Amino acid sequence: MVQAYILIQADLGQATAVAAAVREIPGVLSSEDVTGPYDVIARAEAETLDKLGSLVVAKIQEAPGIMRTLTCTVVHP
């Protein structure tokens, strides 16, 4: 399995809603709203790097209220 942290910038005032929506996506292990340059940090996993990329692009980035994401793949889970 490949895991990654997905750093998410949300629309103004949407961090809590984005975190809740992302948390419901299959493959997302956790999702929390945080302070700092990113509004939400999610941890996700998939069978392969390609499937992880598809999860981010086709599912996570499509959630309402998301402006931008940055994917940080876990090197040693």
Side-chain angles (χ1 to χ4, degrees):
M1 294 298 259
V2 179
Q3 293 188 356
Y5 287 97
I6 316 302
L7 310 178
I8 301 169
Q9 289 180 334
D11 290 332
L12 186 63
Q14 296 298 309
T16 301
V18 167
V22 170
R23 193 176 302 121
E24 298 300 317
I25 297 171
V28 174
L29 304 175
S30 65
S31 176
E32 301 179 70
D33 47 330
V34 297
T35 60
Y38 291 92
D39 303 303
V40 176
I41 297 178
R43 186 165 179 140
E45 75 174 2
E47 292 177 8
T48 67
L49 192 56
D50 285 342
K51 289 183 180 181
L52 179 66
S54 294
L55 170 65
V56 172
V57 172
K59 302 291 184 187
I60 294 174
Q61 288 182 350
E62 294 299 316
I66 292 181
M67 292 176 24
R68 181 176 298 120
T69 65
L70 174 68
T71 302
C72 302
T73 306
V74 175
V75 178
H76 299 289

